[in-house]
Each structure stands twice: as structure tokens, then as C-alpha cells.
Amino acid sequence: MTQILPTAVSLHGSVSIPADKSISHRSAMLSALADGTSRIRNFPRSADPLSTLRVLRGLGVSIHRDNDDVLVVEGVGIDGLRPPDAPLDCGNSGTTMRLMSGILAGQPFGSVLTGDESLQMRPMKRIADPLRAMGGRVTLVDGHAPIRLRPAPEGGLKGTKYRLPVASAQVKSCVLLAGLYARGRTTVIEPTRCRDHTERMLGLETHEVGGEREIYVDGGHRIEPGTWTVPGDFSGAAFFIVAATITPGSEILIENVGLNPSRTALIDVLREMGADIRIENERAEGSEPIGDILVSSAPLHGVEVGGRVIPNLIDEVPVLAVAAACAEGQTVIRDAEELRVKETDRLHAITENLRAMGAEIDERPDGLDIEGNGPNLLGTTVRSFDDHRIAMAMGVAACVAHGPTQVVDAKCARVSFPGFWDELDRLAKPR
Ligand code: S3P
């Protein structure tokens, strides 16, 4: 599917965004492992969270939507999963594969996790290493999926102390979930903070030790069933935050968005660039902070971004690059080499696309140099690289491009934001 996008006049109104992908995966997994029935409100129909449901069903967990569209998960308890009949297909979802590996490494039965072409190219040694240190039997194919997990030898997994070599919430969560099945205590040491949904949702103990964060989980930790409400996805909201900022005359409201500080660094960076973003109605939804975001368009200037802030805007770098291309002056993004191992090499993809639209952008090993030239992009044909965040970032660039933009293979937006193109069209329509 090719999406053809005219230049936007301005964006106005209230934006509807899908539920948070990270929290959805975790709410489904933890509900499946809980001792009884849980209900999840606002569970999305995005492809990635649906991959998690497919995998859990393959392990014998019964899941359905009730009349009020609430997801009902019949938790089987941490020891209640059943051996799968076939390889478990994680689709395009790295979070499904890496988190489920932690859970499956602790089972008394074997399993295989596989995924689509992109997922089979993503690095999995980063989870195999700590799982093996815990006694897990994990086989990869040249460092990649399919991942084969076999029961740990006599005595099962053992607790470990693991210092994260990459700031990855997927690796952290994989180890913490395996820790549910390990003898004794598992400690994850996090030198650079990344999203903390797993520890919040499991209610785990954490401590600051010498400038690093330690997270503890004890083997056998039981999970209470309950009712979860998944907040709106900040990473989905990010596309509209940038679109409204760069498109003159825009004013939008995005309600009920997850505002976990380990996710929202884009707001700080955009404000530093001159953006007009207000947060209202801040409150808590379960273990997560949420609120409403009001954005008015504003001229931007370049900025330097790097270091500890990067993991807190890791999924927003492609759309930040679009903002930078439409700002005045230079933006330098560093320490973002993790973008090269996402659904596609995002540093390369965004460079190729923005350059095709006339931007001055250079790829660096761990980042980007962007010479902003105000909103002067040119409409042309760009590719999604089959990556939802690249497709949507290009949709945002199209808002201010001179002439129409065509995004080839745009359907992949459904991985995290099924209604994205309709929503953009609705908000950006000339009136
Ligand atoms: C995620 C963690 C991040 C992020 C991904 C979702 C999660 O990946 O990019 O979209 O839900 O834990 P990494 O852990 O690989 O940084």
C-alpha cells in the first residue's frame, strides 16, 4: 500500500492514539501468569500486542474480548503454561520475542520462538547471554531467531546479578521475567535508565547504588490477577506532537497519554528546540503516570542530543530527525547506535528518506547530523523500509513538504498504530 499525502494546511482537534505497546505486551504476559482472571481495558488491536496474545494462546492461555471490548485473560499462574504444539510466531515484535524468551527459559518444557524476516535479523545474543548465565538452555541461529529454549538442567534456573551491557528494556525485562522462575534472587543492574514498566507493573523493589539502579526479583514471586487500563501510547502521540509543532497554525489535544518519565524525553528536547507543549490533567493510572498533551505550532531551532537521554526517546529519534530537518540550524544526535538494530536500520532509513526530500542530513555511526533549513522539505516518493516508525515519521514530514509525498509500503504503521493514516488525514484536512 502506498500512502499519498498532500501538504497539510494545519492540524486541529483532538487526536485519538492507540494504547501503549510496551504496557500492552506486559499487561497480557503478567495477566497470563497471574493466579486467576484479569481484565485489560483499552488493549489495542495493533499487530505487535496481538502477536503477544497469539504466543500466549499457543501456550494454553485463554484470552477473549468481552462485550465491553475489555480483554479477559484467564491467568494460569506462573507454573501453568502448557507446551506449545508448534513454533510460536512473534511476527514483527521484538518485545514479544525477548520478553517471552525470559518466561520460556524457566519452563519445564521446550519451545521455539520465531518471527518475520525483520525480527529474524535482530540481535538475540543480548538475551541468550544472561539467560545462559542463569542456567537457561538457549540456542540461536547465528545470534538470531528462531530461538530454541529447552528446560534448564536439574534444579532449574538460578538467580543472577546481571549488569545490562546495553540500555535495553527488553533485555532487562527478559532477565526479570526469567527471575520469576529462578532459585533465589535475581538482580538487574541498570547503568543507564530505560523504560521501567516491567518493574512498576510487577511492583519490584529497586535501589540506587553508586549512580546505578538495581532491580530485584525473587524466584517464585506470585502475580495477583487484577484490572489494568493501558494508557495511550506516548510513542504514537510523538508523531502528532511533532506534526503539530512543525505545521504552522496547528493546535491539537492528545488525551490520556502515558507520561512515564522513562519514555517522554522527546518533550524536553522539543521544548529546548522551542516547541509549545503543555501537559494538563496529570494523574496516575495504576502504576503509570498519565495526562493530556496540548501542542501548538512553534518555530524550532537545532539542538544537541546524546548520552543518558537517548534510551528515553529511543523510538522517537526518527520523528525527532524530521523536527530537526524543519528547524533552523544544526541538530546533532549521538549515542543512538541502537537504532541500527530496530525493525530496520533507522539511522540509515531516515537519512535516505529525508535526503530524498531535500534535507541536509548525514549519517554517523551512532547518530545523525542535520542542518535544519526551516519547513522546506520537498514532496517526493519515500520508503517505509517496512518499519512502522519510519513510515509514520515520513507521514509527519509530508505535512510540511512542498507538493505531495508518497510513502511506499505504508501499511506497516499497523504494527503500533493501525489508524494512523486516517487520523493524520482527518486532522490535517484543509477546511
Ligand atoms: C521496548 C523497548 C525498546 C523499544 C521498543 C519497546 C519495550 O527496545 O525500542 O519499541 O517494550 O521494552 P530495546 O529494549 O531494544 O531498547
Side-chain angles (χ1 to χ4, degrees):
M1 171 196 123
T2 297
Q3 191 72 31
I4 303 171
L5 300 139
T7 313
V9 178
S10 55
L11 282 82
H12 280 278
S14 179
V15 188
S16 165
I17 53 162
D20 187 275
K21 188 160 82 65
S22 291
I23 297 175
S24 302
H25 289 297
R26 290 160 170 83
S27 66
M29 292 178 195
L30 299 187
S31 296
L33 299 181
D35 297 309
T37 305
S38 292
R39 300 166 67 78
I40 310 176
R41 286 197 221 106
N42 199 30
F43 195 89
R45 292 175 197 276
S46 325
D48 270 10
L50 294 183
S51 290
T52 286
L53 299 190
R54 182 172 58 240
V55 167
L56 292 171
R57 287 185 175 118
L59 292 160
V61 181
S62 159
I63 302 170
H64 66 274
R65 287 192 192 255
D66 72 6
N67 294 339
D68 300 321
D69 208 27
V70 172
L71 196 76
V72 181
V73 182
E74 307 292 350
V76 294
I78 61 167
D79 297 317
L81 296 176
R82 289 210 306 265
D85 297 335
L88 299 160
D89 180 7
C90 303
N92 190 240
S93 177
T95 310
T96 307
M97 181 169 274
R98 296 194 175 114
L99 271 58
M100 286 308 304
S101 294
I103 293 172
L104 290 170
Q107 302 302 321
F109 54 80
S111 54
V112 175
L113 288 163
T114 188
D116 70 6
E117 213 179 301
S118 151
L119 188 52
Q120 290 194 37
M121 291 179 51
R122 298 181 64 186
M124 293 298 151
K125 189 173 173 296
R126 55 180 58 192
I127 52 160
D129 285 346
L131 291 177
R132 286 174 184 148
M134 297 173 82
R137 292 167 78 197
V138 187
T139 312
L140 306 177
V141 180
D142 218 5
H144 301 106
I147 304 178
R148 178 176 296 279
L149 298 132
R150 281 168 301 149
E154 221 38 53
L157 297 181
K158 51 184 188 304
T160 189
K161 195 161 188 171
Y162 190 69
R163 193 165 191 276
L164 291 171
V166 272
S168 162
Q170 293 180 359
V171 177
K172 169 172 66 174
S173 304
C174 169
V175 178
L176 293 173
L177 291 169
L180 296 174
Y181 293 94
R183 261 177 294 122
R185 174 162 273 210
T186 296
T187 304
V188 177
I189 305 169
E190 189 180 41
T192 306
R193 283 185 79 147
C194 53
R195 67 190 69 190
D196 60 4
H197 306 299
T198 305
E199 50 270 44
R200 279 180 188 250
M201 293 171 80
L202 276 170
L204 300 180
E205 187 189 334
T206 64
H207 277 136
E208 290 293 326
V209 182
E212 300 184 326
R213 191 159 165 268
E214 293 194 353
I215 308 137
Y216 313 100
V217 61
D218 291 317
H221 178 105
R222 306 299 303 189
I223 302 168
E224 293 285 323
T227 300
W228 307 93
T229 300
V230 186
D233 195 341
F234 181 80
S235 297
F239 297 103
F240 287 97
I241 294 174
V242 172
T245 296
I246 62 177
T247 311
S250 299
E251 196 171 50
I252 60 161
L253 169 68
I254 320 173
E255 288 176 298
N256 305 324
V257 187
L259 292 174
N260 182 316
S262 65
R263 297 284 298 280
T264 54
L266 178 76
I267 294 182
D268 307 327
V269 172
L270 287 175
R271 279 181 176 155
E272 199 184 330
M273 295 172 81
D276 180 353
I277 303 170
R278 278 159 292 159
I279 308 288
E280 288 183 352
N281 206 6
E282 274 190 83
R283 57 208 187 273
E285 180 67 76
S287 53
E288 295 282 341
I290 71 165
D292 304 337
I293 304 178
L294 272 148
V295 188
S296 302
S297 54
L300 299 180
H301 52 80
V303 73
E304 287 190 16
V305 192
R308 298 178 78 84
V309 87
I310 293 291
N312 303 147
L313 48 66
I314 192 72
D315 290 339
E316 286 67 67
V317 173
V319 79
L320 174 61
V322 173
C326 299
E328 291 294 343
Q330 197 187 45
T331 291
V332 175
I333 302 174
R334 289 290 181 274
D335 307 310
E337 61 276 4
E338 272 294 302
L339 265 82
R340 296 207 182 274
V341 292
K342 296 293 179 188
E343 286 81 332
T344 190
D345 175 345
R346 288 183 175 159
L347 295 179
H348 173 73
I350 202 72
T351 302
E352 185 176 308
N353 280 342
L354 284 176
R355 207 176 266 163
M357 295 181 83
E360 269 187 64
I361 174 166
D362 284 312
E363 204 179 324
R364 302 284 174 225
D366 67 337
L368 300 167
D369 288 349
I370 303 163
E371 205 55 60
N373 188 22
N376 281 315
L377 297 173
L378 303 171
T380 186
T381 300
V382 292
R383 297 195 287 140
S384 72
F385 292 77
D386 260 326
D387 180 321
H388 54 132
R389 300 205 197 279
I390 297 297
M392 292 188 277
M394 299 328 292
V396 172
C399 290
V400 289
H402 300 290
T405 302
Q406 303 194 42
V407 182
V408 178
D409 294 330
K411 211 171 93 187
C412 55
R414 72 188 172 90
V415 160
S416 62
F417 201 150
F420 178 78
W421 299 113
D422 290 343
E423 197 59 1
L424 186 61
D425 183 57
R426 186 178 70 78
L427 281 143
K429 252 200 186 101
R431 67 210 74 229

